[in-house]
Amino acid sequence: MGVPVSENGGPPGPPRADAALLGFARALRAAGVDASAERVHAFLRAVHELRAGMRADVYWAGRLTLCGGRDDLERYERVFTAYFGGAAPAGRTVTVPPPPRLRLVARAGPMPRTVARDEQHRARPAAALASSAEVLRHRDIAELDSAGREQLRRLLAALALRGEVRRSARRRPARRGEVDPHRTVRELLRRGGEPARLRRHARADRPRRVVLLVDVSGSMAPYADALLRFAHAAARGSHTEVFTIGTRLTRVTRELSHRDPDLAMAALAAAVPDWRGGTRLGELLRAFLDRWGQRGMARGAVVVVLSDGWERGDPELLGAQMRRLHRLAHRVIWANPRKARPGYAPLAAGMAAALPSVDAFVEGHSLAALERLAAVVRGAEVAFVEGADRA
């Protein structure tokens, strides 16, 4: 007898539980796990064949279907712990206990409250925790309470940010590609002139450098902690540079190199002197380009500005420096937390001056928005590309 499926070809089950599991798969993709549509479909089928309410079954169903290699295991453990809460189930195998034997008990009156509470606690499905995380993904960061912010921090720690891949001038050994004459000749000499297989090589792929400019001014205070934790997750890669901008420009890549997010935030707080101050985007962008960008850091890189665009200085200076940055960088992305608000239009002088030199203008107000930002950095297309939505 085959596995039952729904009318649309997917496994049957409660829609809310499926939405929570799909949200978990999206979080894995954001963390760098190659969870393809086929793997997600197999994951849903496996969960419904097992017990969707049992946390261990959900864990092993996902680990066996969504992970494609050894490198995915660490990311999977991190995302599962952040998404469902608690520690991942221990052990390499899961032993399914035998079904309980039916036993008739003569009992007068209702079940004791303690037993009822224990049964309710055991029957609590893991999907309930997942659904809360799915709701949290779309909530505005500025509206979260302390518990929501703590859960958001765990989910942000599981994110990964990788730059768009580019072809390098260097070549590496490969099974297919052009013939490598030097390695082929060396192989012939090693064999004493006897015929040997042709050695080939191909261009190596390398990720582009990612540069994050995070606004820590007073107007960005509700979002600064989450955006900097997003930058910490991005800084785990070797091709990422992070700067804070406000009234001063501060390079914080070294401070964010701590593996522990809380230690990184503490080191960053001590290094940044202009928390909740004003905003001088034009002057600081010019300082970045003069000192680092023109020398090569921004050349061919993906530069991401995380700011609401409020400018206390000259908007014309910001526009000129943005045009200069656009000529150097491979792509310029601007993430604005205010963009998601109803009726928003980029009418602020700073935002209006910068927008003509922006390749992608995206939101940055929620976890889901930051996941989309990570996808755009990797090269995904968005609605506003090359000026599609410019006001």
Side-chain angles (χ1 to χ4, degrees):
M1 187 173 181
V3 177
V5 296
S6 60
E7 295 179 357
N8 58 4
R16 293 182 62 183
D18 283 351
L21 297 175
L22 289 173
F24 173 56
R26 284 193 295 269
L28 285 174
R29 289 196 194 100
V33 177
D34 186 16
S36 62
E38 292 79 8
R39 290 183 179 276
V40 174
H41 184 69
F43 169 53
L44 294 176
R45 290 169 66 95
V47 169
H48 289 296
E49 278 294 300
L50 298 171
R51 294 164 295 180
M54 295 297 295
R55 191 169 179 276
D57 287 357
V58 174
Y59 169 83
W60 287 105
R63 176 164 170 163
L64 294 175
T65 57
L66 298 174
C67 296
R70 182 169 297 180
D71 294 338
D72 292 340
L73 296 180
E74 180 182 356
R75 301 188 185 101
Y76 181 85
E77 300 281 345
R78 192 167 62 244
V79 175
F80 186 91
T81 302
Y83 198 84
F84 292 97
R92 293 183 176 274
T93 59
V94 176
T95 58
V96 180
R101 297 179 180 179
L102 295 177
R103 185 174 57 180
L104 294 178
V105 178
R107 184 183 300 275
M111 184 181 296
R113 292 184 179 179
T114 55
V115 178
R117 281 199 300 267
D118 291 343
E119 292 295 328
Q120 184 179 4
H121 184 268
R122 282 197 296 267
R124 183 183 181 186
L129 295 174
S131 61
S132 64
E134 180 66 15
V135 171
L136 179 68
R137 288 181 63 251
H138 299 278
R139 289 191 59 187
D140 195 306
I141 295 170
E143 300 175 357
L144 296 178
D145 55 12
S146 57
R149 287 182 177 275
E150 185 60 35
Q151 188 177 6
L152 175 68
R153 289 167 183 170
R154 293 198 302 267
L155 293 171
L156 284 173
L159 278 177
L161 185 67
R162 293 174 296 179
E164 198 173 337
V165 175
R166 65 178 178 86
R167 284 291 179 92
S168 171
R170 295 186 177 183
R171 299 177 183 272
R172 57 173 176 78
R175 292 184 178 181
R176 298 179 182 178
E178 299 177 0
V179 175
D180 186 345
H182 300 288
R183 293 178 60 238
T184 301
V185 170
R186 285 198 298 270
E187 182 67 15
L188 289 172
L189 292 176
R190 191 176 68 84
R191 291 175 174 266
E194 294 294 327
R197 290 181 57 186
L198 295 176
R199 301 298 177 178
R200 301 181 181 273
H201 59 190
R203 291 281 182 89
D205 291 337
R206 296 185 61 186
R208 291 187 180 275
R209 179 183 289 110
V210 178
V211 180
L212 300 178
L213 304 175
V214 185
D215 190 344
V216 294
S217 62
S219 61
M220 288 288 292
Y223 302 95
D225 180 76
L227 295 180
L228 288 170
R229 288 178 182 272
F230 172 78
H232 172 260
R236 287 197 295 261
S238 58
H239 298 277
T240 303
E241 293 284 345
V242 184
F243 294 80
T244 61
I245 51 178
T247 58
R248 296 179 60 177
L249 177 71
T250 308
R251 186 182 184 184
V252 294
T253 307
R254 185 175 62 181
E255 284 74 14
L256 293 179
S257 63
H258 292 284
R259 292 184 62 88
D260 185 271
D262 294 328
L263 290 178
M265 291 299 106
L268 189 144
V272 177
D274 54 341
W275 288 97
R276 301 186 178 226
T279 313
R280 298 186 299 146
L281 294 176
E283 295 179 27
L284 298 184
L285 187 56
R286 180 173 60 186
F288 164 73
L289 292 172
D290 289 343
R291 185 172 179 181
W292 286 287
Q294 198 75 39
R295 296 181 180 181
M297 185 179 290
R299 196 178 301 276
V302 179
V303 180
V304 183
V305 182
L306 299 107
S307 172
D308 56 4
W310 288 100
E311 170 66 300
R312 295 181 60 181
D314 185 4
E316 294 185 1
L317 175 62
L318 175 59
Q321 298 307 313
M322 285 295 296
R323 289 190 293 271
R324 183 181 169 195
L325 174 64
H326 193 264
R327 289 193 295 268
L328 285 173
H330 173 68
R331 276 203 307 164
V332 178
I333 303 170
W334 195 297
N336 189 335
R338 315 287 179 183
K339 186 176 186 289
R341 296 185 176 182
Y344 171 84
L347 301 179
M351 196 71 255
L355 215 52
S357 301
V358 171
D359 296 309
F361 184 41
V362 299
E363 301 170 355
H365 68 294
S366 66
L367 177 62
L370 294 178
E371 291 173 353
R372 287 193 295 270
L373 171 60
V376 173
V377 171
R378 289 194 298 268
E381 297 294 330
V382 293
F384 172 27
V385 177
E386 298 294 344
D389 285 346
R390 289 176 189 165

